[in-house]
């Protein structure tokens, strides 16, 4: 196809073969229930189902579907949907389909499959079968009781200095055990388990599952998660033993700021950990048996885990190991009967998202000995998790592992920035051969591991870095011709994993690690490009609601373990995460249910701000008002013009008030709450008017004249159309004033990048992203970053480290620029009119000397790809559009834009329609399939980046 620029037309040819027979080309993949593959322990009575479609055909759509849900695999094989048979439903919906079959009882496992009809009315084959299993839906389903060690724990007396508080009053892990008989072969066995604390369960000598730090972090006063495991293969007829290891976890261990600020060293939720376990066994002879935690279990605290704390680390004494403690034949005479706890108030809920588990292993790249006997392993990558160490030596030797993100000039590890989080593991050898140490209930942020106490130099291969995080699937890939940008993408990816630890944390290393809301707010869209956040948000948004104050304030961090009505609540941009993150869940996953559950909570937040500020300028009730955190005014580098980077607080806060209000209106509309939509739409208009009256000068200047002010005002659509060009001009002037650099902080940097590009200044955006001088992404990388740093200058070669009081090398806020990389470099953008990537935009904007870029995003509707290459002044673009979706493709073109088929310009291509020319782009509407385009680069696209 080759058409003059002014009137490019592409006839839409529907290239479907005769509409007969089966749609062989159409494959159904990725069957999921509540976002998870074959989940156990689903506690929604009406779970939501989804699948993706794969087809090579152009313009393929689903015209109808049929779902069968059956009570057994056999019934499903015979196409008997005895729980639910939807029949043929005319619909193109493939996500968020609400189960509406027979009510499902606790513990029921059902099997399902789906087939679809294509655009031509041909039916596909049935999908592969999938299943889900219901959790324990009602309180009465739980026979298990909370059990723990009997001994009274003395109250914690805070030490004089918190700095030296390592393991102060730490307690050994509790070991628990119960023997039981199984009279016949087991047909199915399911274990439901939880803890006030953190647990590992063992059955007959084998570890159950691979979860780390289960049941993870929630507000334990309100909501505690349980996990469900299929343990059929671990049981056998006869004697069986269930054992558990119970640590402090987030419940009874140390938490960020609990000591210095709240004078509570540990045990913020409760001092003593407890376990809950219920094993449901179905025998082949039809009999059922339940083994539940109760007063018949026995416990000891004499085992090898002498202490294990998320911040402190672990002390393990291998001499205390009790081989066989979790299997039959073990003599547990010295163990004591357990304490049984009276009922707890919190509600038990099934964990809705992917557990924390090991997602990668790293081998060290170097081993140094900066001082005799001090061995420092370099993992080559700042990572989060812990180490597995193979060692041997005489009994009673204690080997110490200290973790750090960096080293000093002398090669010794740099730990000052960890503040009060020691990150130290200690292992005492039992002696007599090879031993392996791996901790249980802690985690560390580190690149370097210092090992001392070994008699001789270990081998490099003795240590393995076990990387773990909430295991949301990774869905984004990005590479391009600029190695610095590739490193930046990898740094963002590593930092995303590092801070996805049951809650979205600020950092994984120092004594903080809280679910800071401002950080995830800025990072939320990038987070969705990097990992499938649907289930994670489904877990965390209730955490946000649990942390909301009685008068509607959202917390600064969620969960909020302290007195939320008093401290750390109601802060602009942090509290607004309670609105902005659900919006991201809507935009990317079309999660209507999440909005239905959350809308009233969001309204309470808006009403709180309005109540405090009837004139609609947010001056009162701004909590801790961190403002645009770590903007230029907080940078203390010699010679840096530190004044003028900070947007005034009332301007900043009012912009967030407006933005959140607008989003509440949009979300209300999305779920049919029209009256709310209208009301908050009107309130947004009123805030905008008040904002303009109070702050915007006739020439578009904002108080403070900051880059951040213009970036946010443009991004939140707060300026009248005629002032937008002026605001852009002021923003560019602001960048020039800072010698071509940014002065923005955590919250506004991504907005600045997106708005430069949106408003015709893509060249400036490219200049910023490719800069290597302070402050810039390139500067961090030049100085050795392998993750995103909290500060642009966390470490500078020749100068050294920033202020250790706040110098994390693993903070994701400045990594939010990954959103710009996806939206601008490869141009993959969601469309809010069609949430869940049902329709989207591909609008690459080459620039910065980059000659090719390649990205893939596995959306909830399937894989989207955008790849481009510049060759001899021509841009070649290849895209993949998932079946049953459509996209608008912008091709930066000067002259003739072509659609290429089989390597040649095609006269016509099915699935493609030329729409118009717009700002130097040929704009096409495309259906599903893979397409290639080519065009001479437009002036804009080459020099200004489109
Ligand atoms: C955290 C930040 C957080 C902030 C609030 C810091 O200590 O590390 O990332 O958002 O506090 O200003």
């Amino acid at each position: 196809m080759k058409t003059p620029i002014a009137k490019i037309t592409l006839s839409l040819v529907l290239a479907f073969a005769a509409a007969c027979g089966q749609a062989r080309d159409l494959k159904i993949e990725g069957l999921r229930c509540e976002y998870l593959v074959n989940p156990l322990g689903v506690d929604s009575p009406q779970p939501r189902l989804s699948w993706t479609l794969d087809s090579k055909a152009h313009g393929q759509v689903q015209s109808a579907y049929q779902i069968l849900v059956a009570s057994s695999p056999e019934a499903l094989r015979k196409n008997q949907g005895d729980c639910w048979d939807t029949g043929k439903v005319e619909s193109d919906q493939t996500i968020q389909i609400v189960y509406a079959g027979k009510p499902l009882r606790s513990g029921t496992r059902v099997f399902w499959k789906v087939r679809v009809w294509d655009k031509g009315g041909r039916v596909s084959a049935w999908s592969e079968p999938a299943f889900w299993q219901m959790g324990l839906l009602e309180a009465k389903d739980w026979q298990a009781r909370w059990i723990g060690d009997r001994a009274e724990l003395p109250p914690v007396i805070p030490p004089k200095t918190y700095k030296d508080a390592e393991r102060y009053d730490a307690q050994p892990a509790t070991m628990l055990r119960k023997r039981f008989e199984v009279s016949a072969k087991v047909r199915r066995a399911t274990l439901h388990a939880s803890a006030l604390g953190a647990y590992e369960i063992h059955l007959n000598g084998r570890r159950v599952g691979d979860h780390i730090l289960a049941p993870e972090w929630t507000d334990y006063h309100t909501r505690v998660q349980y996990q469900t495991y299929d343990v059929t293969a671990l049981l056998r007829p006869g004697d069986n033993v269930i054992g558990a290891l119970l640590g402090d976890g987030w419940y009874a261990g140390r938490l960020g700021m609990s000591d210095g600020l709240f004078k509570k060293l540990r045990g913020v939720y409760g001092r003593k950990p407890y376990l809950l376990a219920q094993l449901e066994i179905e025998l082949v002879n039809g009999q059922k048996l339940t083994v539940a935690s109760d007063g018949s279990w026995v416990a000891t605290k004499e085992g090898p885990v002498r202490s294990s704390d998320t911040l402190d680390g672990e002390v393990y004494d291998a001499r205390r190991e009790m081989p066989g403690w979790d299997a039959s034949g073990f003599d547990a005479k010295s163990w004591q009967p357990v304490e049984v706890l009276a009922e707890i108030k919190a509600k038990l809920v099934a964990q809705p998202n992917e557990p924390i588990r090991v997602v990668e292993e790293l081998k060290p790249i170097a081993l140094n000995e900066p001082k005799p006997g001090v061995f420092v392993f370099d993992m080559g990558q700042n990572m989060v998790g812990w180490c597995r160490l193979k060692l041997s030596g005489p009994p009673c030797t204690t080997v110490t592992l200290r973790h750090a993100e960096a080293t000093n000039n002398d090669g010794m590890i740099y730990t000052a920035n960890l503040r009060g989080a020691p990150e130290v593991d200690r292992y005492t050898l039992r002696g007599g051969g090879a031993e392996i140490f791996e901790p249980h209930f802690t985690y560390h942020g580190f690149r370097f591991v210092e090992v001392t106490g070994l008699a001789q130099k270990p081998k490099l291969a003795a240590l393995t870095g076990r990387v773990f995080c909430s295991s949301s699937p990774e869905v984004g890939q990005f590479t391009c011709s600029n190695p610095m940008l590739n490193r930046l993408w990898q740094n963002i990816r590593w930092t995303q994993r590092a801070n996805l630890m049951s809650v979205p944390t600020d950092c994984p290393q120092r004594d903080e690690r809280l679910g800071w809301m401002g950080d995830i707010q800025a990072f939320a869209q990038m987070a969705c490009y990097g990992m499938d956040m649907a289930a994670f948000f489904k877990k965390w948004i209730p955490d946000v609601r649990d942390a909301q104050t009685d008068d509607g304030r959202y917390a600064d961090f969620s969960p909020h373990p302290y007195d939320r009505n008093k401290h750390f609540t109601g802060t602009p941009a942090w509290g607004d995460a309670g609105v902005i993150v659900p919006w991201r869940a809507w935009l990317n996953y079309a999660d209507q249910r999440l909005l239905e559950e959350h809308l009233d909570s969001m309204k309470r937040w808006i009403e709180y701000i309005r109540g405090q500020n009837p004139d609609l300028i947010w001056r009162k009730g701004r909590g801790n008002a961190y403002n645009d955190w770590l903007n230029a005014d907080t940078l203390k580098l010699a010679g840096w013009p530190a004044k003028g980077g900070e947007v005034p607080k009332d301007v900043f806060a009012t912009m967030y008030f407006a933005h959140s209000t607008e989003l509440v209106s949009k979300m209300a509309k999305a779920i049919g709450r029209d009256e709310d939509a209208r009301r908050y739409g009107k309130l947004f208009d009123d805030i905008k008017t008040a904002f303009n009256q109070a702050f915007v000068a006739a020439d578009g200047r904002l108080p403070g004249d900051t880059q951040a002010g213009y970036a946010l005002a443009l991004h939140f659509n707060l300026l009248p159309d005629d002032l937008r060009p002026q605001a852009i001009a002021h923003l560019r002037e602001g960048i020039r004033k800072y010698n071509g650099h940014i002065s923005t902080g955590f919250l506004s940097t991504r907005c600045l990048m997106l708005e430069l590009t949106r408003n015709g200044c893509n060249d400036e955006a490219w200049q910023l992203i490719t800069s290597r001088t302070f402050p810039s992404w390139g500067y961090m990388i030049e100085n050795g970053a392998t993750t995103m740093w909290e500060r642009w200058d966390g470490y500078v070669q020749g100068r050294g480290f920033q202020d250790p009081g706040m110098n994390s090398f693993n903070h994701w806020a400045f990594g939010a620029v990954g959103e710009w990389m996806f939206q601008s470099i490869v141009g993959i953008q969601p469309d809010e009119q069609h949430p869940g990537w049902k329709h989207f935009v591909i609008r690459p904007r080459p620039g910065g000397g980059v000659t090719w870029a390649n990205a893939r995003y596995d959306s909830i509707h399937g894989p989207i790809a955008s790849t481009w290459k510049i060759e001899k002044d021509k841009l070649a673009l290849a895209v993949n559009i998932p079946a049953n979706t459509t996209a608008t493709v912008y091709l930066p073109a000067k002259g003739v834009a072509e659609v290429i088929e089989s390597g040649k310009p095609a006269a016509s291509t099915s699935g493609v329609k030329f729409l118009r020319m717009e700002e130097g782009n040929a704009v096409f509407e495309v259906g599903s399939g893979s397409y290639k385009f080519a065009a001479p680069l437009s002036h804009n696209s080459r020099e200004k980046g489109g």
Side-chain angles (χ1 to χ4, degrees), residues 205-221:
R206 305 229 330 251
R207 169 93 199 267
V208 172
D210 55 1
H211 298 32
I212 293 173
L213 287 164
E216 305 196 0
W217 192 1
T218 51
D219 180 346
Y220 298 97
H221 300 309

Side-chain angles (χ1 to χ4, degrees), residues 824-885:
S824 300
I825 301 182
V826 286
I828 299 177
Q829 305 172 12
D831 174 355
E832 67 174 72
Q833 300 309 321
H834 303 274
W837 298 87
K838 183 79 173 93
H839 176 269
F840 53 91
V841 172
I842 295 192
R843 186 173 187 172
R845 310 206 196 216
V850 169
T851 54
W852 61 266
N854 185 352
R856 174 179 160 141
Y857 169 59
D858 291 329
S859 78
I860 192 165
H861 274 102
I864 297 168
S866 167
T867 299
W868 57 259
K869 191 160 77 181
I870 296 172
E871 249 172 10
K872 295 192 205 120
D873 268 8
K874 254 196 163 185
L875 177 79
L877 171 70
V879 300
N880 183 66
I881 316 297
N884 201 37
T885 69

